[in-house]
Amino acid sequence: MAPYRRDVTRVPVSRSVSRGNDEKDADHPNIPSRRPRLSQLAIIEYPDPRLKRVARPVTAFDERLRRLVADMAETMYSAPGVGLAATQVDVHERIIVIDVSETKDALHVFINPELLWASEEFALCEEGCLSVPGVYDMVRRPSRVRVRSMDPHGRPFELDCEGTLAVCVQHEMDHLEGRVFVEYLSPLKQTRIRTRMRKRHARQA
Ligand code: K1U
Ligand code: ZN
């Protein structure tokens, strides 16, 4: 499944403000005044208990889902991050967005993803999390995975992942199971991270 290429088409402003225009323009999604505005969603932070919730499968492949996916992508790009699970924005449905490209124009959207296969070979990679800002540590995971999923229109696809994409997809699928990457770290590190996060939240209060 090819990732969604981000649409960077710019329509001249004069087209969007032209008077007495035909109906064709009124429906054109690239005309700024007609394009629905994207929202940045609030990301919940560790150790918020809502990060422990197990997400339920998506059953309605409708405009509301596609709008949520667009808002999640906007939230991920502006954070900035390379992935985001719906759990992190307090929506407990099985939805993930990922873009590990340098150019930030290769969005992967996974609805109801399932792990079909994981390699016996493992890799140690540094991970971060938008729900645990400022914390990075090494996590060991299968180096390659195959995922079965659906796109936002309910069409099934399978994707072989390796490198950063494999790390990211496993990290995000953990979020859907209510797991945060710090749970792979030692109890001492987890305690230190919780203390650090609680201090951060007290400062912000
Ligand atoms: O799940 C998340 O909170 C997103 C997380 C994904 C991830 C990163 C690294 C390894 C595994 C999973 C992030 O995006 S953390 C931020 C980050 O990695 C980043 C930030 C700015 C530029 C590039 C990457
Ligand atoms: Zn995360």
Side-chain angles (χ1 to χ4, degrees), residues 80-85 88 126-131 136 167-168 171-172 175:
V82 292
L84 190 71
Q88 294 175 275
E126 188 176 68
E127 297 195 17
C129 183
L130 297 175
S131 295
Y136 292 85
V167 175
C168 201
H171 175 115
E172 303 309 336
H175 276 304

Side-chain angles (χ1 to χ4, degrees), residues 6-162:
R6 261 221 283 185
D7 182 5
V8 289
T9 310
R10 292 281 177 270
V11 174
V13 173
S14 57
R15 276 197 70 193
S16 66
V17 295
S18 59
R19 281 189 195 98
N21 218 333
D22 48 34
E23 276 156 31
K24 189 172 53 148
D25 268 5
D27 293 328
H28 197 302
N30 279 339
I31 294 177
S33 62
R34 305 291 182 194
R35 195 190 301 140
R37 203 165 280 183
L38 295 171
S39 304
Q40 278 182 39
L41 308 170
I43 297 176
I44 54 184
E45 295 190 356
Y46 183 83
D48 191 311
R50 291 172 292 178
L51 288 170
K52 287 186 172 293
R53 285 181 61 176
V54 177
R56 60 185 173 275
V58 169
T59 50
F61 292 82
D62 54 10
E63 280 310 312
R64 177 234 162 225
L65 172 66
R66 290 184 279 277
R67 172 79 209 194
L68 174 59
V69 165
D71 288 344
M72 284 176 60
E74 173 74 4
T75 305
M76 173 190 72
Y77 286 121
S78 70
V82 292
L84 190 71
T87 306
Q88 294 175 275
V89 292
D90 204 18
V91 175
H92 301 280
E93 295 175 46
R94 304 186 83 81
I95 307 167
I96 291 171
V97 294
I98 294 178
D99 188 344
V100 294
S101 70
E102 290 280 321
T103 43
K104 297 289 151 225
D105 65 349
L107 180 67
H108 291 278
V109 179
F110 300 90
I111 312 291
N112 299 339
E114 294 167 65
L115 201 63
L116 288 183
W117 172 83
S119 64
E120 284 173 14
E121 183 198 338
F122 280 66
L124 195 59
C125 289
E126 188 176 68
E127 297 195 17
C129 183
L130 297 175
S131 295
V132 200
V135 173
Y136 292 85
D137 215 319
M138 305 304 282
V139 176
R140 193 171 168 271
R141 297 186 189 267
S143 52
R144 288 174 293 131
V145 291
R146 181 172 306 128
V147 176
R148 179 163 54 207
S149 180
M150 280 187 260
D151 75 6
H153 294 274
R155 296 178 293 228
F157 69 91
E158 289 184 15
L159 188 67
D160 286 317
C161 308
E162 59 180 12

